[in-house]
Amino acid sequence: MPKGKGPKGKRITLKMAKNSIRVAFNGRRRLDLSKMGITTFPKSILELADVEELDLSRNMLKKIPNVIEKFQNLIWLDLHSNLLDELPPEIGTLQNLTYLNLCNNRLTTESLPPELTLLKSLRTLNLGLNRLETVPTTLGSLKELIELGLFDNSLTKIPKSLKRLPKLERFNIKRNPLPEFEVKEEEEDLVKRIESLYLVKQEDLCGSCLNTCKGEREELHELEQMTPTPGPSPKKPSFPSLLTPNSTAKDNQEEW
């Protein structure tokens, strides 16, 4: 391989592209070129710019050219799992776009074009697994957003404009160094521990497990006795000679 050049990707011909078109139940045509080993945007697909959906995910694309503006019918665009480090401003011309997946790339805050906020019909935007340190507050102008993914970045703050999006239902900000999220994770962890509590009958336990439980219960009782009480508590009545139905009387019902 010549010095300074990356791997040579697969060349996509017009015939290959036509054979990759799938028609969905809703009538939309999807040009599916995912997992094709593509390193540069195929010029041949410009002949198919009237498709409603375009899938270029899981390739090795580093750039999306400005000719993306030719795809004016696009409703659905998937570019996840590439090597993208920037987006062209022309992406803002795709006014019919409702779904945009940019997850698992190399995008930074600076590489997000301001024109991204022109996608007023956008309902799903996935920017997870990138290199974002901040989020543009202008994304709060995307009032139709229902799902927003910002997980696995380097975010330390979430703009209030995003939290106030009127239609937002799913907002994934996991695995970011957010102070508020650390507290939330602790609360979720407590819930998980509670959900892991299982109740079983004593007779269902094996001998060693039963002994362990009894030992822990005795330790707990000792700790309770060591805990100071705020005031004197009345003594409970004791009936040492009275047998309970669960003890001796259980073995001899007649005497009971």
Side-chain angles (χ1 to χ4, degrees):
M1 183 184 299
K3 185 177 180 181
K5 292 187 177 181
K8 187 177 181 180
K10 187 174 183 178
R11 181 174 176 268
I12 303 298
T13 64
L14 180 58
K15 182 179 179 180
M16 292 171 61
K18 286 182 177 179
N19 291 334
S20 299
I21 292 180
R22 305 287 182 267
V23 181
F25 291 108
N26 56 12
R28 293 182 187 175
R29 294 163 302 153
R30 177 179 296 187
L31 178 52
D32 187 354
L33 297 175
S34 62
K35 298 184 290 184
M36 298 284 283
I38 303 171
T39 57
T40 56
F41 190 89
K43 293 181 180 180
S44 60
I45 68 174
L46 293 176
E47 299 289 333
L48 306 171
D50 59 341
V51 295
E52 291 82 19
E53 300 183 358
L54 177 59
D55 189 351
L56 288 168
S57 65
R58 290 170 284 188
N59 283 294
M60 295 179 284
L61 294 170
K62 293 184 177 180
K63 309 286 181 185
I64 297 296
N66 54 13
V67 291
I68 192 68
E69 65 183 354
K70 302 290 185 183
F71 292 79
Q72 285 299 306
N73 290 341
L74 276 187
I75 298 174
W76 191 94
L77 177 59
D78 195 346
L79 299 171
H80 87 266
S81 301
N82 277 284
L83 303 174
L84 299 176
D85 54 16
E86 66 178 0
L87 293 173
E90 286 76 11
I91 200 167
T93 65
L94 306 178
Q95 295 295 302
N96 294 317
L97 211 60
T98 62
Y99 177 95
L100 178 58
N101 191 350
L102 297 166
C103 173
N104 194 21
N105 278 286
R106 299 177 177 178
L107 297 172
T108 62
T109 305
E110 293 74 18
S111 62
L112 295 180
E115 289 78 7
L116 200 61
T117 59
L118 299 176
L119 303 176
K120 301 301 183 182
S121 300
L122 209 57
R123 296 181 180 179
T124 299
L125 175 60
N126 193 346
L127 289 166
L129 281 166
N130 276 287
R131 300 176 179 179
L132 304 178
E133 295 183 353
T134 58
V135 183
T137 57
T138 50
L139 288 183
S141 64
L142 302 176
K143 303 298 184 182
E144 297 298 315
L145 273 183
I146 297 175
E147 184 172 4
L148 177 59
L150 295 172
F151 55 92
D152 291 291
N153 278 286
S154 301
L155 304 175
T156 56
K157 188 177 181 181
I158 301 296
K160 292 182 179 179
S161 60
L162 298 186
K163 298 178 182 179
R164 294 171 181 169
L165 285 169
K167 297 184 180 181
L168 196 62
E169 296 178 2
R170 292 179 292 276
F171 189 18
N172 191 343
I173 54 173
K174 292 182 178 180
R175 293 177 295 277
N176 278 288
L178 295 166
E180 63 223 60
F181 191 66
E182 289 177 1
V183 174
K184 186 177 179 182
E185 279 185 333
E186 290 177 1
E187 294 174 354
E188 289 179 351
D189 185 53
L190 177 60
V191 173
K192 288 177 182 177
R193 289 199 298 270
I194 294 174
E195 288 177 348
S196 299
L197 178 64
Y198 298 96
L199 300 178
V200 295
K201 294 182 178 179
Q202 181 171 307
E203 57 265 25
D204 293 333
L205 293 173
C206 65
S208 59
C209 293
L210 181 60
N211 292 333
T212 301
C213 292
K214 287 182 176 179
E216 292 181 354
R217 185 170 58 187
E218 290 174 359
E219 290 180 4
L220 181 60
H221 288 165
E222 290 177 1
L223 289 174
E224 289 176 347
Q225 292 174 1
M226 293 172 62
T227 305
T229 55
S233 57
K235 293 184 178 180
K236 294 182 180 180
S238 176
F239 305 97
S241 60
L242 183 62
L243 299 176
T244 62
N246 291 329
S247 57
T248 308
K250 186 177 180 180
D251 300 325
N252 194 334
Q253 294 291 339
E254 294 180 1
E255 290 183 8
W256 179 258

